[in-house]
Amino acid sequence: MPGRRVSHCRCVLAFDLPGSLRRIRRAADLSQRELARALDVSKSLVGAAESGSSGLDVRVLDRAAALVGMRLALLDAAGTEVAGMAEDTVRDMGGRRFPAHLDTRYSDEHWWHGPHRYSRYQPWYTFDRDRRMRDLYRARDGVPTDHQLPQPGDSPRERAEQRRWALLRARAEERERRFLAGEFAHVRESFVCTCPAACDELDDRSGRPVHAAGCPCNCDLA
């Protein structure tokens, strides 16, 4: 119909606990009482969950699924399985996980500032409590799928050293580029030694250089 708006929203189906429990019991060939005994819970708990009048601890449901070789999973609107957040991501100085909804960063990336930096030990990783700042970074860099993973060389000291060497390399590459482009063609060439072979025959390299008589170079003399 003209003017009719069609919605393309993907709706997420609610989890069917009663149906899932019945599926598990059917696959396991267990009565409610037998399933309750296998899970070490009351029969009334299984019955209430299967009738829809009560919920069920996810840990109990996970054990029930494992009885028949099944497992619980998170699915997105398209039905694709979504993994939980990684266990081995970076943590704070006390070994605690960072807030799941915020994004972690190295402490030396626009974070370690203010007067407290002189009195506190600089952490390796940190996060922004201000969601507006977080969203600015996400708009620029995209939304990370997880917190970052620890990498070799993550300490502030090592990262500072990496930046120093990167700067030195960049300067050397720039000088080489300018040299190859001919920007230093007007610069006088450095001194080139013109000692004859007789000087090498006389000089045993044990002290000051020795020159043959009539050496036109005398390169070591002021």
Side-chain angles (χ1 to χ4, degrees), residues 186-209:
H186 65 285
V187 179
R188 181 178 178 271
E189 293 185 4
S190 60
F191 176 80
V192 178
C193 177
T194 58
C195 285
C199 292
D200 287 334
E201 295 174 1
L202 293 172
D203 192 357
D204 62 1
R205 308 299 195 276
S206 62
R208 290 179 59 82

Side-chain angles (χ1 to χ4, degrees), residues 72-86:
L72 306 185
L74 290 173
L75 305 179
D76 63 16
T80 304
E81 183 174 343
V82 179
M85 292 190 71

Side-chain angles (χ1 to χ4, degrees), residues 24 33 75 94 118 174 214 216:
I24 290 171
R33 189 179 302 279
L75 305 179
Y118 299 112
E174 176 63 14

Side-chain angles (χ1 to χ4, degrees), residues 11-22:
C11 297
V12 179
L13 298 177
F15 179 69
D16 182 10
L17 176 59
S20 297
L21 275 176
R22 291 198 302 273

Side-chain angles (χ1 to χ4, degrees), residues 2 13 23 41 47 51 67 78 81 115 122 127 132-133 138 154 165 167 203-204 214 220:
L13 298 177
R23 173 62 61 194
V41 296
S51 68
L67 292 175
E81 183 174 343
Q122 182 176 2
F127 65 98
R132 293 172 299 176
M133 183 62 68
R138 286 185 174 186
D154 274 359
W165 280 109
L167 178 60
D203 192 357
D204 62 1
D220 65 310

Side-chain angles (χ1 to χ4, degrees), residues 30-66:
L30 295 175
S31 67
Q32 288 185 352
R33 189 179 302 279
E34 289 169 334
L35 178 60
R37 188 180 303 116
L39 299 176
D40 195 24
V41 296
S42 67
K43 187 266 181 186
S44 60
L45 180 67
V46 174
E50 194 168 307
S51 68
S53 60
S54 178
L56 188 67
D57 191 308
V58 68
R59 293 169 294 186
V60 175
L61 181 61
D62 183 59
R63 296 204 308 271

